[in-house]
Amino acid sequence: MLRRFALLGVAASAIAACNPQSGPRKTGPAVAKGNGITITADEFKARLDEQSPFIRARYSSLDRKKEFLDSLIRFEVLAREAEKQGLQNDPDVQLTMKKIMVQKLVQKSFQDPAGAQLPDSELQAYYDQHKADYFRPKKVRVAAVIFNAPEGTPERAKKKELAKKALAKLKVEEKKNTLAFTQIVNEFSEDAASKATAGDLNFKSQDELEKAYGKELADAVFAAKPGDTTPVVETKAGLYIAKVTGQQEEMNRTFEQVKAQIANKLTREKKTKEFDEYLKKLRDQANVQVDEKVLEGVEVAAAPAGMPGMPGMMGGGMPAGHGMGGPMVAPSQPPPAPAAK
């Protein structure tokens, strides 16, 4: 019995909310025919094709095809009886039909026709205007012990000896203490801003590091590997001991590499805009007036404790405004645009 209901459920899920006998004209030879009921080979195949590949694989033999056909026949028999009892006029049935009509309307109006493509000139223009999204130089994260000793000043030599002393101490301490660099920064660094963050200078490209601290430091840092510590580096502004603490690889994506991604993004944006404009036009034509006093008086029952579901979700676990899950209430969310070819 449970197996029979499961098969019936498969068929019902495939053709629910449709009136199979009064819908589109059937084509192909009949595989089953009776009093007011006809199931054609084309219809049988269409219903079977709607199932997942895993389920379809079960119905390769004649006996298993008969099982699936039997489930379709049961559905047709029940649907015919439901019509006889006038259930097509039931409010729940009418609401379900309305949801499906809205879904079909949106699909018909806002899914791209086959082969529709945005012109390359439009995609290229977007790429040129957003090159920073597709080009990124290599960056390293640096921490530094900084000694303020401009070139040519009397204290330069003294600070250089102090920097060498700090580096020697660091090499000894870091063998037994993972926080040795931080401690050296706290003890020796003369730059208050970076000292407050354990010497961290954040991620910088070679060009950014050169502009901020000098070519000598930038060259030394970019010659090192993550985890390495530089020797004492002399620049015009001062002396540095730097440690590479992280790295971001270069990103260089050509137009051809991101063309499909850009087309997909722009298509979604266009469809969203078209849908919003279309819905606004329909709302304006409908001239809907809201009675806030009546609306405020509507009592909303609290959800029972432990009831599954999330805010913004309708029955069946579908987001409100999409398909069978609920009425269309999310005007900025048309169906997803097909992936760019």
Side-chain angles (χ1 to χ4, degrees):
M1 180 64 73
L2 290 175
R3 181 178 177 81
R4 289 183 178 180
F5 277 113
L7 284 170
L8 183 58
V10 169
S13 64
I15 48 181
C18 299
N19 183 338
Q21 300 309 313
S22 56
R25 186 173 63 85
K26 293 174 180 286
T27 60
V31 293
K33 197 169 185 179
N35 185 16
I37 294 174
T38 300
I39 299 174
T40 67
D42 290 348
E43 184 182 3
F44 178 88
K45 184 179 185 305
R47 299 293 79 78
L48 195 56
D49 286 347
E50 290 171 357
Q51 312 308 313
S52 70
F54 177 76
I55 292 177
R56 285 201 306 270
R58 300 176 185 174
Y59 298 102
S60 56
S61 69
L62 177 59
D63 286 343
R64 299 308 294 272
K65 288 177 181 177
K66 285 181 178 179
E67 287 185 15
F68 191 81
L69 177 60
D70 187 55
S71 68
L72 296 181
I73 293 171
R74 291 177 191 175
F75 179 82
E76 297 287 3
V77 169
L78 290 171
R80 188 162 181 262
E81 180 59 26
E83 284 186 335
K84 286 182 179 179
Q85 295 186 22
L87 292 180
Q88 66 270 28
N89 299 318
D90 182 90
D92 289 338
V93 174
Q94 293 292 316
L95 177 59
T96 299
M97 185 179 294
K98 188 180 292 186
K99 291 176 183 179
I100 295 175
M101 286 194 299
V102 169
Q103 184 183 44
K104 292 287 187 180
L105 172 66
V106 174
Q107 290 174 345
K108 176 183 176 182
S109 302
F110 296 99
Q111 282 189 349
D112 281 338
Q117 292 183 344
L118 296 175
D120 278 7
S121 58
E122 184 174 347
L123 304 180
Q124 182 72 56
Y126 181 91
Y127 178 80
D128 292 339
Q129 293 167 10
H130 298 83
K131 280 193 174 179
D133 295 338
Y134 309 109
F135 287 93
R136 182 181 65 212
K138 178 181 177 181
K139 290 188 176 186
V140 295
R141 190 163 195 168
V142 188
V145 186
I146 300 176
F147 299 87
N148 296 321
E151 195 174 53
T153 57
E155 64 269 20
R156 176 91 169 192
K158 183 178 179 180
K159 292 289 182 70
K160 184 175 180 179
E161 290 303 314
L162 184 61
K164 289 181 178 179
K165 176 183 175 182
L167 180 60
K169 184 175 182 179
L170 173 63
K171 289 182 177 180
V172 173
E173 294 294 327
E174 65 184 358
K175 294 178 182 178
K176 56 186 177 181
N177 181 6
T178 57
L179 298 177
F181 194 88
T182 299
Q183 293 175 353
I184 294 298
V185 169
N186 290 335
E187 183 178 350
F188 292 96
S189 186
E190 298 174 350
D191 180 68
S194 61
K195 190 173 183 177
T197 58
D200 184 33
L201 305 181
N202 216 322
F203 280 100
K204 285 185 168 51
S205 67
Q206 188 163 0
D207 184 58
E208 291 170 336
L209 201 58
E210 180 176 337
K211 287 179 179 178
Y213 300 99
K215 185 178 187 303
E216 298 83 0
L217 181 62
D219 289 346
V221 165
F222 273 81
K225 298 189 295 290
D228 286 354
T229 301
T230 68
V232 175
V233 179
E234 299 185 49
T235 72
K236 291 181 179 181
L239 308 169
Y240 300 86
I241 302 170
K243 184 179 181 69
V244 179
T245 60
Q247 182 173 292
Q248 289 178 347
E249 293 299 331
E250 177 187 41
M251 181 177 68
N252 187 352
R253 304 179 68 188
T254 66
F255 172 66
E256 289 301 324
Q257 289 175 318
V258 297
K259 180 178 174 181
Q261 175 186 333
I262 294 173
N264 207 21
K265 173 182 172 63
L266 294 185
T267 299
R268 287 198 306 269
E269 290 177 352
K270 285 177 179 289
K271 291 301 174 186
T272 298
K273 183 179 179 181
E274 290 173 8
F275 183 77
D276 288 343
E277 292 173 350
Y278 178 70
L279 189 56
K280 182 180 184 302
K281 182 184 74 173
L282 294 180
R283 288 181 65 98
D284 290 344
Q285 291 174 350
N287 192 28
V288 177
Q289 304 296 319
V290 176
D291 191 325
E292 294 185 359
K293 184 176 181 181
V294 174
L295 180 63
E296 187 177 11
V298 176
E299 293 186 9
V300 180
M307 180 179 178
M310 297 177 61
M313 304 295 285
M314 300 292 288
M318 296 286 288
H322 289 273
M324 302 257 316
M328 204 69 179
V329 295
S332 62
Q333 299 293 326
K341 303 290 184 186

